[in-house]
Amino acid sequence: MNLQKEITLLPQPHTIRLERWRGTSSRPVKKTGKDPGGRPDEYRIELNEKEILLYASSGRGFQYAEQTLHSLEKKYGLAFIGMIEDYADIANRIAMLDLKRVVWKKEALLRHLHELAEWKINCCLIEYEDKFPYESLPEIRHPRAFAREDILEIAGYARDLGIELIPLVQCFSHWEYILRHSSYCSLREKTGSMQQGCPLNPAVFQLFCSMAEEVIALHQGIHSFHIGADEARLLGHCPACAEKMRREGKTALYGDYLADAIRFINGKGLHAFFWGDFYRHHDHLPQLRGLQCTAVDWAYSEKSARVKQVCFPRIQGNCAVFGTPETAVYSRFLLPDPETQTLFAFPHRKIVEADQIPVIGAGNITTPENILAHVTAAVECGSPGVIGTYWASSNSLSMPYSVYELRKSGTALLGAAAWNCAFEQQEKNTFFERFLQHAETKLQTPEELKFLHSLEHHFASQPGIPEKIPGDNPVSMKLKMEQSLAKFQHARFFDRQSYDFCDLSHLFNSTLEFNTGNHKCDFTDETLSFLPPGEHACCGIAFLLKHRILLYGRQCKATPHRENIRCNLRKCKAVSLIQSAVGGSADENGKWGEFRIRYADGNCYCEPLIQYDNLNAWYQPLPGRRVRIAVMESPRPSLRLGLHQFTLLNPFPEKELEEIELESTSDGVIALAAVTMISPHELNPELPDAVNTVDKIRRDMQKCGSSMERLLFSEVGDASAKELTGIALDSMKCQIDEMEQLLAFCGKNRGGR
Ligand SMILES: [Zn+2]
C-alpha cells in the first residue's frame, strides 16, 4: 500500500513510498555517505527489516533526514518499510526577522530560530537595527540592545541549526533609528526628516562602514550581507545632491553610493544583497556591473504568480492590464500568456535580470498567498532563493504591526512551499490546519490564523472593525470590545443645541487638493475631495464640514504657523477638532504642534499635539490613544485617507473663554476641517445604551489585558510588552472614560434606556 496520501509532514517530502510493517523490534539508524543525488539538500531514508539507512551528501542533508524521521515517528510511529526521497525546490529559503521597534527576548529569538530549522529554512536575514551592541556608536544602541555575548550565542546557535545568518544594516535609507539622535542630525539629507542620510556626505558612508564592520565581526563564517537601500525617497534634496542629480541624474546619485557600499561588503569577502525597489522606476544600475550582489524584488500585494493586472509604475495609471496596447510594449517583462490571459506578477524581476544583475523575490509573511506567489515565481524562474519578510513596523518611529509569534505561520509556509512547492500549491487550503498539527503555537483554529493574517495591525486600533471575529486570543478579544463600542462611532450624545460649530470660513486657506492661494501642493499628490460637506457626528460629537480647509504648519510657505479661532460660547465643557497631519513630519518626540485654550482672565491651557495620542496622519489613518477616525475613504486598493477627531474636555469649564489657538511646532503641516464647542443641554433620546456597554467593556478589558500579557511576556521584553498592551487597550480605556465624563454632564441618566 502506498501511504503517500495518508502521511503529511511539514514540509511535505517529495516522495514517500512506505508500507505498514508488522515487525516490532527497534532498528538501528545508520548514516551512509552514498550520494542520494545533487538537488539542494537532497536526502533519502530507507527503512528495511534490519535497519534504517539515511543517505545524504552534506551535514544539512543528514540533519533534514533525521528531522523527517523524527516527525514521522512523532506523528505516525516508525512501523514502516519503504523509502522517502526528498530535496528542496529552492536552494536558499530565507526567513527575515526584523528586530526594530520592539525588544525581543533572546530566548524567544532562539526558539524561533529552532522553528525555522524545523521548517527546513536554511537562511535567516536578520535586521538588528538599534538592538545591536554597537561599541563605537553608543548613541545608536537601544538601552535594551543585546550584549555582545548574546549576538555570539545567537550566531552560534543558528550555525548549529544549519541556518546561515545574513545580517542587514541599512546603508543610508530608513535611518530613522540613527538620524533621530541630535548627534547625527548633520547627516540628514533633509533637515526635517529622519528617513535618509545624504549619500554625498562622506560621514554617512563612514558610519555605514563602521556599523557593518562591527556586525560582521560578530558573525564569523557568514557568506552574505544585506545593505538595505530601499525607499530612498529623499534622493536629491540637499543642495549637493540636487546639483549632482541635475548634472548626472538620479541613477548616478543612487547607483554610485550603492556601488560603494557593495564594494565595501565585497571587500570583506561577502556577497551583498540590496532591496531592489529602485528598479521600479529605473532600468539600469550600470555601476553594479562586476560586483558580487543580488537585488531583492520585494512586492507584497501580489497574491498569485500569474495575474490579470499588476502594479507597474512605468505605464499610466501604474497598473498593467492583460491585453492593453501599453502592456504589449513591455511584454518581455510582463510575459503575457494568451491562454490564461494573465501577466507575470513580478515584472520588476525581469527588469533587473535584463540589467544583468542577479535577483530574488521577497514576499511578506503577513499574507500567505503572497508568500506562495513568490515561491511559485521563484521555482518557475529557477531562482536560487526566496525571502519571506517579517516586519515589526514600517520604520523605527512608527506603530508596531504585531509580534512575530502571531505571524510565524507565514514563515512556516515559506519553508514548506520553498521545499515542496507543488504540494503546497495543491494543498493551499489546508495549510493552516497542517501548521496547527505540526507547530507549537498559541493559536487554536485555522479560522483564527486566517483572520489574524488578514489584519495589518494586531495591537493598534483597526481603521474598520471586521464583522466576524473568530477565536479567543487577546487580539480577537480586543476587537470584540471595539466592535461593541463601534455603535457609538457615528452617534450624537446630546441634542443639537449642545453643539456650537466655530465659523472657520474666513480662515480657510486651502482647497481640498491642498492648494493654497497660487501655490500648488508639494507634499502630496492625494486629495481630501471625498470629504462629505454637511453635518456629521463622531463618537458623540457633531461637527460641520465645508468645501475648504485650514492648513497650518511650517513646512508650507503659504500657510500660517499659528491660527487663532474665535469662540461664540462664553463657556464650554469640551472642544472637539476634526484634523489630521497631512505633510512633513513631527519632531523626534512625535510632536506636531500645540492646541491652546485662552481664557478671558489671561490664563491659557496648552495641549501638545502628539502622533498616536491626540493627532494622527491622514495617510493610512489609524485611531490613536485619544484620537478617532472621523471620516475615511479608500480611493484605491491598499490606500486609505481620512481625518481624525480629538475631543478635549475643558480643564477649566467655569472660566470664560477668549479664543482657541492652534500652532505647528514641527516641520509638519496640519489640516483643520472643523471645530465644535460642546455645552451639553439634553441627552439625545435615540442614543444606544451606553451604561451597560461601558461596564461590560471595563470587565472584558481586564481579561484581555492579562491574556495579552501572557502572550507577550514570553516573546518581548517587559517594557515592550507593556507598550504593546497599552497600544491595544489605552485607546479604548480613554474612549470609555471620555464617554462617561461627557454623558455625566447631563445628570445621572448616562444614556441608558
Ligand atoms: Zn545630499
Side-chain angles (χ1 to χ4, degrees):
M1 178 179 58
N2 182 349
L3 291 170
Q4 170 131 30
K5 285 269 181 299
E6 284 74 42
I7 292 177
T8 57
L9 302 173
L10 191 85
Q12 180 71 356
H14 280 83
T15 309
I16 302 177
R17 288 206 191 86
L18 296 177
E19 287 175 29
R20 279 283 167 198
W21 181 53
R22 292 182 189 284
T24 49
S25 58
S26 77
R27 293 163 288 180
V29 178
K30 288 183 187 164
K31 288 184 189 174
T32 154
K34 209 175 106 190
D35 195 351
R39 289 172 288 198
D41 294 323
E42 186 152 4
Y43 68 87
R44 189 148 56 99
I45 305 173
E46 247 178 57
L47 302 98
N48 60 42
E49 307 213 334
K50 286 198 200 106
E51 56 196 4
I52 297 173
L53 290 169
L54 309 182
Y55 296 83
S57 53
S58 70
R60 203 160 55 212
F62 282 118
Q63 175 196 330
Y64 290 157
E66 282 171 342
Q67 274 177 222
T68 301
L69 195 64
H70 181 72
S71 17
L72 179 73
E73 180 174 19
K74 205 168 138 196
K75 200 167 168 208
Y76 302 97
L78 278 185
F80 296 106
I81 48 173
M83 54 95 92
I84 293 175
E85 274 175 351
D86 205 11
Y87 57 88
D89 283 347
I90 299 174
N92 297 298
R93 306 165 298 279
I94 309 169
M96 184 201 180
L97 298 180
D98 169 22
L99 271 52
K100 73 165 70 78
R101 196 58 181 81
V102 296
V103 176
W104 286 48
K105 282 214 163 99
K106 185 184 72 189
E107 296 68 32
L109 180 54
L110 297 179
R111 178 159 35 87
H112 291 309
L113 282 172
H114 188 262
E115 287 170 340
L116 297 186
E118 301 242 293
W119 303 328
K120 298 193 168 92
I121 285 171
N122 59 353
C123 301
C124 175
L125 175 60
I126 187 162
E127 182 168 12
Y128 297 105
E129 226 205 35
D130 55 357
K131 309 308 182 310
F132 189 85
Y134 290 110
E135 283 200 324
S136 57
L137 314 150
E139 303 97 313
I140 295 177
R141 193 168 67 203
H142 189 280
R144 288 182 186 77
F146 289 119
R148 292 174 67 82
E149 305 73 58
D150 295 332
I151 301 289
L152 291 171
E153 184 184 347
I154 292 161
Y157 189 70
R159 221 174 6 252
D160 292 347
L161 289 167
I163 294 173
E164 181 174 337
L165 291 186
I166 305 170
L168 189 159
V169 175
Q170 285 280 2
C171 60
F172 78 120
S173 60
H174 276 300
W175 264 20
E176 292 88 354
Y177 72 109
I178 300 169
L179 300 177
R180 66 194 294 192
H181 300 291
S182 50
S183 40
Y184 294 104
C185 265
S186 61
L187 305 187
R188 293 179 184 181
E189 174 64 21
K190 183 180 169 192
T191 321
S193 171
M194 291 164 259
Q195 205 268 346
Q196 189 197 302
C198 169
L200 293 184
N201 183 341
V204 167
F205 185 65
Q206 275 159 22
L207 179 60
F208 163 67
C209 294
S210 328
M211 291 194 295
E213 221 147 39
E214 284 203 37
V215 171
I216 291 167
L218 292 192
H219 292 80
Q220 294 297 318
I222 54 169
H223 297 96
S224 310
F225 194 90
H226 197 306
I227 61 167
D230 56 321
E231 303 185 305
R233 291 186 181 132
L234 298 176
L235 281 175
H237 202 279
C238 86
C241 288
E243 177 57 19
K244 173 155 178 162
M245 204 155 98
R246 198 184 56 77
R247 277 188 290 114
E248 301 170 51
K250 202 181 236 185
T251 299
L253 181 61
Y254 180 77
D256 288 354
Y257 185 82
L258 193 72
D260 282 345
I262 292 172
R263 253 190 296 277
F264 177 79
I265 297 302
N266 288 172
K268 301 280 167 194
L270 302 175
H271 187 89
F273 286 94
F274 65 97
W275 299 122
D277 43 283
F278 191 79
Y279 280 101
R280 288 192 199 155
H281 300 275
H282 301 84
D283 294 336
H284 304 294
L285 281 169
Q287 301 90 332
L288 307 191
R289 293 282 152 72
L291 298 179
Q292 295 300 311
C293 63
T294 296
V296 180
D297 176 41
W298 58 273
Y300 297 151
S301 49
E302 289 70 22
K303 293 185 171 178
S304 167
R306 301 289 317 181
V307 287
K308 298 272 178 215
Q309 55 182 59
V310 61
C311 175
F312 194 63
R314 275 147 218 262
I315 62 180
Q316 247 199 336
N318 273 343
C319 181
V321 181
F322 178 85
T324 57
E326 272 182 315
T327 298
V329 174
Y330 291 99
S331 63
R332 70 189 178 120
F333 306 130
L334 294 163
L335 314 179
D337 175 15
E339 202 168 300
T340 55
Q341 308 229 321
T342 57
L343 304 169
F344 182 49
F346 306 106
H348 296 104
R349 287 180 71 120
K350 297 290 163 195
I351 292 170
V352 183
E353 276 173 18
D355 197 29
Q356 295 170 37
I357 301 293
V359 58
I360 63 172
N364 188 331
I365 61 160
T366 298
T367 315
E369 299 89 337
N370 180 242
I371 292 290
L372 201 51
H374 271 283
V375 172
T376 307
V379 169
E380 280 168 14
C381 298
S383 190
V386 63
I387 301 183
T389 57
Y390 161 73
W391 292 108
S393 70
S394 71
N395 66 66
S396 44
L397 303 175
S398 63
M399 194 62 99
Y401 293 124
S402 183
V403 287
Y404 176 71
E405 171 65 25
L406 297 179
R407 294 286 196 221
K408 69 183 183 186
S409 42
T411 306
L413 177 61
L414 172 84
W419 187 269
N420 187 344
C421 183
F423 180 84
E424 289 304 332
Q425 272 290 0
Q426 197 187 319
E427 291 292 323
K428 60 184 170 197
N429 295 330
T430 64
F431 176 75
F432 286 138
E433 223 168 288
R434 288 179 286 120
F435 171 77
L436 289 168
Q437 288 168 15
H438 288 275
E440 291 281 325
T441 163
K442 297 190 169 66
L443 302 170
Q444 312 284 332
T445 64
E447 293 72 35
E448 207 175 342
L449 274 164
K450 195 171 170 206
F451 174 70
L452 290 180
H453 275 286
S454 74
L455 305 174
E456 186 181 15
H457 283 271
H458 283 162
F459 297 95
S461 302
Q462 299 294 315
I465 313 286
E467 261 175 50
K468 275 194 177 163
I469 303 172
D472 56 0
N473 63 75
V475 177
S476 296
M477 285 164 86
K478 163 191 126 74
L479 284 169
K480 283 173 191 166
M481 288 186 273
E482 286 178 2
Q483 200 172 46
S484 62
L485 260 184
K487 62 184 170 210
F488 298 97
Q489 173 67 26
H490 297 294
R492 197 164 40 78
F493 288 168
F494 311 111
D495 66 340
R496 284 180 191 280
Q497 282 183 56
S498 306
Y499 305 101
D500 183 72
F501 304 131
C502 292
D503 183 11
L504 304 176
S505 308
H506 61 293
L507 298 174
F508 284 149
N509 60 4
S510 167
T511 65
L512 298 177
E513 282 74 37
F514 304 109
N515 295 326
T516 49
N518 296 325
H519 296 262
K520 248 186 103 58
C521 177
D522 66 350
F523 54 79
T524 183
D525 299 328
E526 305 295 346
T527 157
L528 273 173
S529 57
F530 58 84
L531 275 195
E535 196 184 315
H536 303 272
C538 175
C539 298
I541 312 298
F543 58 90
L544 183 66
L545 293 180
K546 299 215 169 160
H547 291 283
R548 288 171 68 81
I549 45 170
L550 165 60
L551 289 185
Y552 66 100
R554 286 164 190 268
Q555 202 214 29
C556 235
K557 285 190 192 77
T559 61
H561 299 169
R562 194 178 63 211
E563 208 48 85
N564 296 65
I565 297 161
R566 242 190 0 255
C567 304
N568 297 326
L569 298 182
R570 274 184 54 234
K571 292 180 177 179
C572 79
K573 300 285 194 200
V575 186
S576 188
L577 308 176
I578 302 295
Q579 68 174 13
S580 284
V582 291
S585 56
D587 68 16
E588 61 269 36
N589 299 312
K591 182 175 161 183
W592 287 78
E594 289 179 357
F595 165 30
R596 305 183 194 106
I597 304 180
R598 294 199 177 279
Y599 299 97
D601 63 5
N603 282 312
C604 173
Y605 174 81
C606 175
E607 173 85 17
L609 294 170
I610 310 273
Q611 184 146 15
Y612 301 128
D613 178 11
N614 53 12
L615 181 77
N616 261 351
W618 77 304
Y619 208 85
Q620 310 294 19
L622 285 177
R625 203 171 75 90
R626 294 182 294 162
V627 71
R628 327 275 163 231
I629 295 174
V631 280
M632 184 170 72
E633 173 144 314
S634 184
R636 296 194 293 280
S638 79
L639 175 67
R640 288 175 283 110
L641 301 170
L643 286 180
H644 296 82
Q645 181 216 43
F646 165 55
T647 300
L648 177 73
L649 295 177
N650 183 358
F652 303 105
E654 70 291 350
K655 283 186 194 281
E656 261 189 53
L657 299 163
E658 176 84 29
E659 61 181 7
I660 291 167
E661 193 170 276
L662 290 163
E663 181 173 1
S664 162
T665 56
S666 65
D667 289 306
V669 183
I670 299 172
L672 176 76
V675 179
T676 302
M677 320 268 300
I678 301 115
S679 177
H681 290 251
E682 302 274 340
L683 276 181
N684 173 4
E686 283 156 27
L687 188 67
D689 176 11
V691 180
N692 286 327
T693 309
V694 168
D695 289 347
K696 182 167 186 327
I697 288 176
R698 283 206 195 284
R699 283 196 306 276
D700 291 349
M701 266 175 59
Q702 287 224 319
K703 259 191 273 173
C704 178
S706 36
S707 154
M708 205 162 265
E709 281 175 5
R710 275 197 302 279
L711 165 78
L712 292 173
F713 281 142
S714 59
E715 297 294 318
V716 297
D718 293 1
S720 287
K722 228 177 130 196
E723 190 202 359
L724 289 168
T725 311
I727 290 169
L729 300 178
D730 279 3
S731 159
M732 213 170 341
K733 187 173 178 304
C734 285
Q735 194 177 346
I736 57 177
D737 285 351
E738 184 189 298
M739 264 173 83
E740 280 193 323
Q741 284 166 314
L742 280 171
L743 292 167
F745 291 132
C746 281
K748 278 182 200 141
N749 179 359
R750 294 177 298 164
R753 274 187 292 200

